[in-house]
Amino acid sequence: MEKRINYLLLFFFTSISNILFAQTNCSLPISWTTNNYNVAVTSSTSALGVDRFSNKNVIIDNDLTNASSWISLGIGTEYVEVQNNSGQFPAGTYAGVVLSETSLASLSTTYKVETFLNNTPTNDVISMQVPINLANATNRNLGLIATKPFNKIRLTVSVIGITTTSVNNFYTITPCTNTISLQCNQDTKISQGNFSAVINYSDNKTSLSGLSVGKMNNLGNIVNSDLDDYGTIDLGISALGTAQVSVRDLNQTYSIGNFAGFEISNNNLLDLSILSGITIKTYLNGTLQEESNSNTLLSNVTALGTNPRSVIGFITTKPFNEVQFSLSTLLSANLVGETRIYNMIVKQYCKGEDPACNIDTKIINPNYPAFVQPLRTGTSGITSASINNRSNLINSNTDDYASLNITASVLGNVSLSVGLVEQVFNAGHFAGFEISNNNLLDLSLLGGITIKTYLNGLLQEESNSNTLLLNVEGLGSNPRSIVGFITTKSFDEIQFNLSSALSVNLIGETRIYNTIVKKYCEGPLIACNESTIINKNEYPVNIGKNTNLEGISIGGVTNLNNILDGNSDTYATINIPVGILSTATIAIEKQLSAINAGTYVSFDIELTSLVNVSALPKFKLKLLKDNVQTEIIEGGNFLLGANIASRIRKTLGFKSTKDFDEIQFIYEQPVGVSLGEVRLYDLTILNPCQKAIDCSVENTIDNTSNHPVVINQFRTGIEGLVCAQCSVTNEMNLITTSETDFTTLNLGIGVAGRAGISILDLANIFPSGTYLGFTIEDVQQIIQADLLETFYIKTYLNGIQQEVANSTSLLDLSLILSIGTGKKNFGFRATKPFNEIRLEVGSLVSAINTIKLYNLKVDASNPTNNDGNLICNNSICVKPGYFNTNEAILNSDTGISSLQKPNSTWPKEIPNGFLVLESKNKGFVISRIPSSSNILDPKEGMIIYDLADNCTKIYNGDNWKCITQSCNE
């Protein structure tokens, strides 16, 4: 009794030890060798009692490369088995054997693996029949998943022919009890160590069938921990042959919506026609769930034609814990040859984050659940075309690319489509691709491109050359460009299609780097009176579909995206050679809401050289809304006022009077002219905000945060014939706050032209009756009369000319507007409202006419009409004087002045006055009274100085009031 208890205790402790050992090494194959367990090996014997398997004890020794062999010379059946005396193994354990075979003339070989509990069969058994096989098979792993406890594994071999069977070892795999979470949107290789993966031979799920002379080698490599090992299937010369391999996870079930497949390679994978011979099936606990063939299989092929490693499979709609790979030469002759199977692949798809506002978002793994959709990927028509490296389109390397190649085609098409699993983008998102093509000399390539969106496999909408947007980094230099459109319907798939029937430029390689989705959001508010560089990553803007080049076969536009990159140091370039009549249009579209009227938009441009100006190039700024032109401004005269031997940097702008959602920069180059490289730096927007000014004093028109003004380059420069001595230099000095900065206008002797400069006030409209004048220094000290004959001052309101003042109407306003020593203010009193002023200087007959302009000044303290929009921060009266329309306007006939007057009409131009007194160095003394109460009989309009109240008073007919800067009513 005591001895029996000791045996039971020994059995109990060895069982516990066995269980702990197995759990420590769970999901890994543990050989039944003497260093791991208490094991014993037996085999069938001959009639003479000789073991059929020679050296059978090497099966349980520590050297796993040793093998016990049985040689069959005809028809025979023998077995070898190992019993584990360390304890029982529970249901769910995988029981396996590693063997090899060498066949000289085999008609049939059948292997049977079964388990026992001691000597009692468990009825867990699998059989595998090997058809006619003239080749060797190595590292053949056979096994079964136990449904009952066991402690013995037996291998039975039945042979017809001459075959040597070598058995290396028996082993078990105990599945780990914990499950492993899959990483989102990444291929997970289901291998031993991390997962409880085994080759499943049950029900012939792993087998060869049909009339085939083929082999399957090293299948255990598919599930081992070395992810670069592989098993091979070779059907050889086969007719109606099928090979299949099934991998089961002993512990883990994968949910619906996961990708299921294998990583494979095949030398004959020259195109995807091999898919017609492949079927992939999923099982759950041995029951078939679903299958996919060439019509629905997904294939992420790294490369074609170079023995690639490719992932092939499908997105499941049912749970599974087993995946089977099947090849059939009945469906594809391309399957003849070796197919390598590296790993079973499962991918868990997870919804990606909502794209960040106004950012080109690349739809790649693992950020998004993206896959290449085979149903809408491929070639059609009479074409010689290929698709290479399609998986590069969705991998994490954003510089990798898939390539679409059309070498020759008649009505041919190539398509590549990227879908998402369980993720939908709403209408209003941009959908497209980042591409490049060597033949992208101009935008005519778009004529062969169509981009389509789908939702749940149904076509939603499509866009072609008429509506596609193109954000091109460069034209004519194999650029990387983003092409697509703004959707009006939701989508979960985007397809890129090339049609050589529509564009011969498509012949050759087109690279597709990434699928792009962009979510448009309104950007930050534009600060008042601050020039804001528009960055496409902050604002919903893009290079628009109206961007194009006309009349050019060489040269081009490069780095267009630099205009919207927010970097003031980068630029796009337009480079059109001399002698080519051409027009370059760069369109920038604003998405979502339109830009409000009154906004000032401008481009910063640089001209590198002006070769010839016999026919002046023209620049235009055009505004559109809903693709309809609203306004346009054009010109090029500013080029004639610049030094053509050096670089020229200008800001070309436009203050809108209507809402708009598109800005076009247009460069027209006539024959015989070239500006060399035209650099376009940035699009800038300024939101003019009107601030209060002191209307009681003159105002210098400087560009400040309170008073935004700009030089209107379209009305600045030389008009008429060009000359070497003509120029407008340092024009921006005219609107600085410095009192010493100046702009120089220079004209040669007798030149038939004018030099001009124009200042545009972006916020204010000055009313009628405003005095305006430029502070001028006459460098040559030309006589005053001669100088004035060459002067013109023009006013504009929202781009429309209002009035012109020349020598007959210009005034010396130095008495009204302050002036520095040696300078004068020439101007006039406006009779119409205005927000832009241009000064022009003509040539003198006898001398070079050079003048310096220091600033522009205005005085709106005494308007004649309320037709401006000034906001005054003072109490001065800015109402017009009293004019009874039924009475004649009273003008002064009498004046006393100590100043020299510029003409003989003074003082009659002073309206509503009876006596005019003016001087800069003489005073006028009125009656000084101790108190206004001392005036016993005051008269309306009487003026005194009240010593008691310390102010000048006027009697309004009822009482005395101190005169203040207000409307004294």
Side-chain angles (χ1 to χ4, degrees):
M1 182 68 179
E2 180 180 352
K3 185 175 182 181
R4 183 175 181 184
I5 293 174
N6 289 335
Y7 277 127
L8 289 174
L9 290 174
L10 177 63
F11 177 78
F12 173 78
F13 284 115
T14 54
S15 297
I16 294 297
S17 176
N18 175 45
I19 294 171
L20 292 175
F21 178 77
Q23 284 301 310
T24 302
N25 297 274
C26 62
S27 298
L28 289 173
I30 306 299
S31 58
W32 282 17
T33 54
T34 55
N35 61 318
N36 292 327
Y37 299 106
N38 178 14
V39 290
V41 57
T42 58
S43 63
S44 56
T45 58
S46 67
L48 298 177
V50 177
D51 286 333
R52 290 298 192 183
F53 282 85
S54 62
N55 302 316
K56 63 183 179 183
N57 283 328
V58 301
I59 296 176
I60 59 174
D61 71 9
N62 299 334
D63 187 349
L64 300 183
T65 63
N66 291 334
S68 173
S69 300
W70 170 58
I71 301 175
S72 171
L73 298 177
I75 300 175
T77 298
E78 304 295 341
Y79 73 88
V80 62
E81 64 185 15
V82 175
Q83 180 162 324
N84 194 320
N85 296 314
S86 298
Q88 298 181 17
F89 290 81
T93 303
Y94 184 82
V97 59
V98 180
L99 60 89
S100 300
E101 64 194 33
T102 303
S103 177
L104 297 178
S106 173
L107 296 178
S108 175
T109 300
T110 300
Y111 298 107
K112 181 171 69 173
V113 178
E114 53 190 323
T115 59
F116 296 79
L117 184 59
N118 297 318
N119 294 320
T120 303
T122 64
N123 296 321
D124 286 334
V125 59
I126 62 105
S127 295
M128 177 182 178
Q129 183 176 11
V130 181
I132 299 173
N133 192 340
L134 298 180
N136 297 331
T138 59
N139 192 26
R140 188 188 296 280
N141 283 258
L142 301 178
L144 58 83
I145 302 167
T147 63
K148 298 181 180 66
F150 67 96
N151 64 354
K152 182 189 292 186
I153 307 172
R154 174 182 290 181
L155 170 68
T156 303
V157 186
S158 298
V159 177
I160 302 176
I162 302 175
T163 298
T164 299
T165 301
S166 301
V167 180
N168 295 84
N169 62 87
F170 290 80
Y171 66 92
T172 50
I173 297 175
T174 302
C176 296
T177 57
N178 61 305
T179 58
I180 299 175
S181 298
L182 302 177
Q183 293 185 328
C184 284
N185 304 318
Q186 298 187 57
D187 292 338
T188 300
K189 299 179 179 182
I190 307 302
S191 61
Q192 292 169 350
N194 294 327
F195 298 88
S196 301
V198 298
I199 304 296
N200 187 11
Y201 293 89
S202 300
D203 301 320
N204 290 317
K205 290 190 178 72
T206 298
S207 62
L208 281 167
S209 63
L211 301 177
S212 172
V213 179
K215 58 182 181 292
M216 301 195 313
N217 284 335
N218 302 312
L219 297 186
N221 291 348
I222 300 173
V223 294
N224 71 16
S225 57
D226 187 340
L227 302 182
D228 291 320
D229 273 354
Y230 53 86
T232 61
I233 297 175
D234 191 343
L235 293 176
I237 301 172
S238 175
L240 307 181
T242 298
Q244 52 198 24
V245 177
S246 197
V247 175
R248 177 169 174 176
D249 192 314
L250 300 177
N251 179 53
Q252 197 154 328
T253 298
Y254 301 98
S255 58
I256 62 175
N258 283 319
F259 173 90
F262 289 89
E263 183 182 23
I264 69 167
S265 68
N266 187 289
N267 284 320
N268 294 323
L269 190 56
L270 300 177
D271 56 37
L272 295 183
S273 62
I274 191 174
L275 294 184
S276 61
I278 294 177
T279 300
I280 293 184
K281 300 177 181 179
T282 58
Y283 296 84
L284 181 62
N285 299 326
T287 302
L288 177 66
Q289 297 294 95
E290 52 191 324
E291 64 182 271
S292 177
N293 52 34
S294 59
N295 294 324
T296 55
L297 281 175
L298 310 180
S299 178
N300 290 346
V301 185
T302 303
L304 298 180
T306 57
N307 195 20
R309 290 174 69 164
S310 313
V311 175
I312 184 170
F314 68 99
I315 300 170
T316 61
T317 61
K318 296 180 180 180
F320 63 96
N321 60 2
E322 184 175 350
V323 185
Q324 183 188 59
F325 178 86
S326 175
L327 294 180
S328 174
T329 53
L330 173 65
L331 299 175
S332 177
N334 284 337
L335 294 173
V336 174
E338 181 183 77
T339 297
R340 298 176 178 178
I341 305 177
Y342 292 85
N343 302 281
M344 171 182 160
I345 300 294
V346 175
K347 179 187 285 187
Q348 178 182 349
Y349 290 108
C350 307
K351 182 178 179 181
E353 293 183 357
D354 196 30
C357 286
N358 303 316
I359 300 294
D360 291 331
T361 301
K362 299 176 180 180
I363 304 303
I364 57 176
N365 299 146
N367 298 337
Y368 290 91
F371 66 95
V372 177
Q373 173 57 265
L375 296 178
R376 284 170 282 280
T377 294
T379 62
S380 63
I382 306 172
T383 182
S384 176
S386 63
I387 304 173
N388 293 332
N389 306 320
R390 65 188 62 197
S391 63
N392 288 350
L393 184 54
I394 59 172
N395 70 17
S396 59
N397 187 343
T398 56
D399 291 322
D400 277 353
Y401 54 86
S403 61
L404 280 59
N405 291 274
I406 301 178
T407 56
S409 177
V410 179
L411 302 179
N413 293 276
V414 182
S415 298
L416 187 57
S417 197
V418 173
L420 294 109
V421 179
E422 299 298 327
Q423 180 151 12
V424 176
F425 293 108
N426 295 329
H429 282 75
F430 173 89
F433 294 88
E434 183 181 21
I435 70 169
S436 69
N437 186 289
N438 283 319
N439 295 323
L440 190 57
L441 298 176
D442 56 38
L443 301 184
S444 62
L445 176 69
L446 292 182
I449 293 177
T450 301
I451 292 181
K452 301 178 181 180
T453 58
Y454 295 81
L455 181 63
N456 298 324
L458 300 177
L459 177 65
Q460 298 300 292
E461 52 190 325
E462 63 182 85
S463 179
N464 52 34
S465 59
N466 296 323
T467 54
L468 284 174
L469 306 178
L470 186 68
N471 286 353
V472 190
E473 292 187 3
L475 302 180
S477 59
N478 194 20
R480 288 175 69 164
S481 315
I482 294 176
V483 59
F485 68 100
I486 300 169
T487 60
T488 61
K489 297 180 180 180
S490 299
F491 62 95
D492 61 7
E493 182 183 344
I494 313 171
Q495 183 192 52
F496 181 88
N497 180 270
L498 294 180
S499 174
S500 57
L502 299 175
S503 176
V504 294
N505 284 338
L506 294 173
I507 294 178
E509 182 188 53
T510 297
R511 298 176 177 179
I512 306 183
Y513 293 86
N514 300 285
T515 307
I516 301 294
V517 171
K518 176 184 278 191
K519 175 185 176 182
Y520 289 110
C521 310
E522 291 292 358
L525 294 176
I526 304 293
C528 283
N529 300 333
E530 292 184 11
S531 293
T532 301
I533 295 176
I534 299 303
N535 183 343
K536 69 183 180 68
N537 291 334
E538 289 186 311
Y539 295 93
V541 294
N542 51 264
I543 303 297
K545 56 184 173 294
N546 291 319
T547 298
N548 62 66
L549 294 171
E550 298 176 2
I552 180 173
S553 59
I554 57 176
V557 179
T558 58
N559 302 316
L560 273 178
N561 275 329
N562 287 348
I563 300 173
L564 299 174
D565 67 358
N567 186 341
S568 59
D569 294 325
T570 60
Y571 50 84
T573 60
I574 303 172
N575 200 336
I576 303 174
V578 177
I580 296 179
L581 177 65
S582 183
T583 298
T585 299
I586 298 174
I588 296 178
E589 293 184 0
K590 165 71 166 58
Q591 305 303 327
L592 305 178
S593 63
I595 300 173
N596 294 331
T599 301
Y600 181 75
V601 295
S602 62
F603 289 94
D604 188 18
I605 69 166
E606 183 179 22
L607 315 174
T608 57
S609 63
L610 186 57
V611 176
N612 190 334
V613 292
S614 59
L616 196 64
K618 184 178 292 184
F619 293 88
K620 297 180 181 179
L621 294 183
K622 183 190 294 186
L623 304 183
L624 303 90
K625 188 172 187 299
D626 299 327
N627 210 35
V628 176
Q629 178 180 320
T630 58
E631 300 174 87
I632 189 170
I633 188 172
E634 59 185 75
N637 290 333
F638 59 87
L639 297 176
L640 300 180
N643 183 355
I644 64 174
S646 61
R647 294 179 181 268
I648 304 167
R649 190 80 174 257
K650 302 286 183 181
T651 299
L652 302 185
F654 195 160
K655 182 183 178 184
S656 66
T657 61
K658 299 177 181 178
D659 294 351
F660 62 97
D661 56 20
E662 182 176 344
I663 310 110
Q664 293 183 7
F665 175 87
I666 302 171
Y667 168 52
E668 294 181 357
Q669 177 175 291
V671 175
V673 177
S674 176
L675 297 183
E677 184 181 76
V678 178
R679 296 178 176 178
L680 198 61
Y681 284 84
D682 301 293
L683 168 66
T684 300
I685 287 183
L686 188 146
N687 177 25
C689 300
Q690 193 178 18
K691 302 292 183 69
I693 63 174
D694 187 349
C695 301
S696 66
V697 298
E698 68 182 44
N699 284 272
T700 302
I701 306 303
D702 301 324
N703 182 37
T704 66
S705 59
N706 288 325
H707 193 182
V709 296
V710 295
I711 299 295
N712 184 356
Q713 295 287 358
F714 288 102
R715 272 193 274 272
T716 295
I718 308 299
E719 290 188 355
L721 297 177
V722 67
C723 72
Q725 297 174 320
C726 303
S727 64
V728 177
T729 59
N730 300 316
E731 61 266 31
M732 299 304 295
N733 286 350
L734 194 56
I735 57 174
T736 68
T737 57
S738 171
E739 295 183 358
T740 59
D741 284 349
F742 60 87
T743 297
T744 302
L745 278 62
N746 192 83
L747 282 172
I749 301 173
V751 176
R754 296 178 184 174
I757 187 168
S758 192
I759 297 177
L760 172 63
D761 192 311
L762 300 177
N764 296 308
I765 297 176
F766 294 94
S768 303
T770 299
Y771 288 95
L772 60 108
F774 287 89
T775 299
I776 297 173
E777 181 180 355
D778 176 13
V779 176
Q780 274 80 25
Q781 298 183 355
I782 306 300
I783 59 174
Q784 181 173 296
D786 202 7
L787 180 63
L788 283 179
E789 289 176 358
T790 68
F791 271 33
Y792 292 84
I793 296 180
K794 300 178 181 179
T795 61
Y796 299 82
L797 181 61
N798 297 329
I800 299 174
Q801 183 174 303
Q802 299 296 288
E803 52 189 321
V804 179
N806 54 23
S807 58
T808 60
S809 53
L810 284 175
L811 305 174
D812 182 353
L813 299 180
S814 300
L815 300 177
I816 299 174
L817 305 174
S818 62
I819 191 68
T821 304
K823 307 180 187 72
K824 291 187 177 181
N825 282 324
F826 283 102
F828 71 104
R829 193 179 196 190
T831 63
K832 296 181 180 180
F834 63 92
N835 61 359
E836 184 178 353
I837 307 165
R838 171 180 163 90
L839 181 137
E840 297 177 2
V841 177
S843 175
L844 296 175
V845 176
S846 58
I848 295 176
N849 191 0
T850 301
I851 65 167
K852 296 179 180 178
L853 300 181
Y854 285 83
N855 48 51
L856 167 66
K857 296 181 178 181
V858 297
D859 186 336
S861 61
N862 189 23
T864 58
N865 209 337
N866 287 323
D867 49 12
N869 71 341
L870 299 183
I871 301 174
C872 299
N873 64 355
N874 51 54
S875 58
I876 187 174
C877 181
V878 291
K879 291 186 177 181
Y882 171 75
F883 300 106
N884 189 330
T885 56
N886 296 323
E887 300 175 4
I889 296 177
L890 299 176
N891 292 328
S892 295
D893 291 324
T894 304
I896 300 174
S897 178
S898 65
L899 304 177
Q900 179 182 355
K901 306 311 298 179
N903 54 54
S904 60
T905 61
W906 186 88
K908 286 189 176 181
E909 76 270 15
I910 308 299
N912 201 27
F914 295 93
L915 175 64
V916 176
L917 304 175
E918 65 179 13
S919 178
K920 284 192 173 184
N921 54 16
K922 295 178 172 59
F924 171 65
V925 181
I926 62 175
S927 300
R928 297 164 62 85
I929 306 297
S931 173
S932 58
S933 60
N934 295 113
I935 307 298
L936 302 179
D937 187 17
K939 303 298 181 183
E940 185 177 359
M942 182 178 289
I943 298 175
I944 64 168
Y945 185 80
D946 190 317
L947 295 174
D949 290 337
N950 195 26
C951 70
T952 301
K953 287 186 174 180
I954 186 171
Y955 188 70
N956 63 9
D958 294 322
N959 50 59
W960 291 95
K961 293 183 66 176
C962 288
I963 298 175
T964 59
Q965 287 187 327
S966 63
C967 294
N968 295 281
E969 299 174 313

